[in-house]
Amino acid sequence: MAINPWPLLRNKSSARSSRALRLVVHGRSGGEVPVCLTTLVAELQQRRSSPVQLEVLTAEAPEPCPTASTWLIPLLLWPGAHARIDAPAIRQRLRAEGKEVTMLPFLGAWHHWWDAVAAALAGLDSKRPVLVHHPLRSGVADRFLAGLSERLGLPLLPFDRLEDHRKTDPEAQPLPLTLAPNRMTEALREAGGLPPLLEHSLTRQALIELLAALP
């Protein structure tokens, strides 16, 4: 990237090698991982020449961490329980195993990431777009969503309120905001619009660049 997105981070390991990445992802039932995530891992390993692993929240047992020094990166868009509770618990577990772990903020807190999403949205031909997200508990999430809606210049709506919204605005085009394919994207497939963000060339490449730039 032309601008270093991580100016305050320093590499504590050898200057000759990058630290390992452990990416926290939700996964599907039974720990199934969509292809867009497995290929992301392969591309990052090639770019960084260091281990890249997935920590799948729906898997029964996590894979062992192979290196002593690791970035723990919650690839989570929303400040829900996975970002607030599960990711810190993973960091604690890895540290108890003797690993040197530095956890980054969840993906939805990265300004450069939302810049890429905004650019992808600007390229869509949608007359009445509404961004649809995974339902979240009220509180911190409400403030987060209000700020994100203002930043992207589009309304945000939880998936469980979409049908009610369509009754008042039948021409609204729902655009799911999700990293990988899931039940929500499958339900909204016929609506067209935005694919999962890891299947959109612009946002996928932006995430690869951000992760590859980590020291």
Side-chain angles (χ1 to χ4, degrees):
M1 300 182 70
I3 299 175
N4 178 14
W6 311 110
L8 301 181
L9 297 183
R10 296 291 181 267
N11 193 357
K12 296 181 181 180
S13 60
S14 170
R16 295 183 178 180
S17 62
S18 300
R19 299 172 74 178
L21 303 183
R22 195 168 180 92
L23 311 177
V24 180
V25 299
H26 188 274
R28 305 198 68 169
S29 178
E32 179 186 352
V33 177
V35 173
C36 60
L37 281 168
T38 57
T39 55
L40 178 75
V41 168
E43 290 181 59
L44 282 171
Q45 286 183 158
Q46 186 175 16
R47 285 282 299 270
R48 291 177 58 83
S49 299
S50 63
V52 180
Q53 286 186 304
L54 295 178
E55 173 94 23
V56 185
L57 293 171
T58 54
E60 291 186 3
E63 293 186 17
C65 190
T67 59
S69 183
T70 302
W71 294 113
L72 183 65
I73 306 167
L75 289 188
L76 305 167
L77 293 182
W78 316 112
H82 291 317
R84 294 182 291 103
I85 299 172
D86 294 337
I90 293 169
R91 175 181 57 188
Q92 183 176 357
R93 187 196 80 225
L94 294 175
R95 286 179 174 174
E97 296 172 0
K99 308 299 182 183
E100 180 186 349
V101 180
T102 303
M103 187 173 76
L104 297 185
F106 69 102
L107 178 60
W110 300 6
H111 293 293
H112 289 292
W113 164 251
W114 289 119
D115 288 344
V117 174
L121 292 171
L124 296 177
D125 184 18
S126 302
K127 294 182 180 180
R128 299 182 64 83
V130 56
L131 300 175
V132 182
H133 62 84
H134 179 76
L136 299 166
R137 291 184 179 180
S138 59
V140 174
D142 293 336
R143 297 189 292 273
F144 176 88
L145 292 169
L148 182 59
S149 177
E150 182 177 358
R151 176 175 188 147
L152 298 178
L154 291 172
L156 274 86
L157 190 72
F159 181 57
D160 57 4
R161 288 176 49 197
L162 179 59
E163 289 305 316
D164 290 338
H165 182 80
R166 280 173 160 169
K167 293 176 182 177
T168 58
D169 189 2
E171 296 184 1
Q173 182 180 8
L175 305 177
L177 272 186
T178 179
L179 271 182
N182 57 24
R183 286 179 293 179
M184 183 173 73
T185 60
E186 291 169 357
L188 297 177
R189 183 176 299 168
E190 295 182 359
L194 192 69
L197 296 171
L198 285 182
E199 294 183 353
H200 189 289
S201 58
L202 192 156
T203 44
R204 178 183 178 85
Q205 190 59 37
L207 182 58
I208 290 174
E209 295 294 336
L210 285 167
L211 294 173
L214 281 165

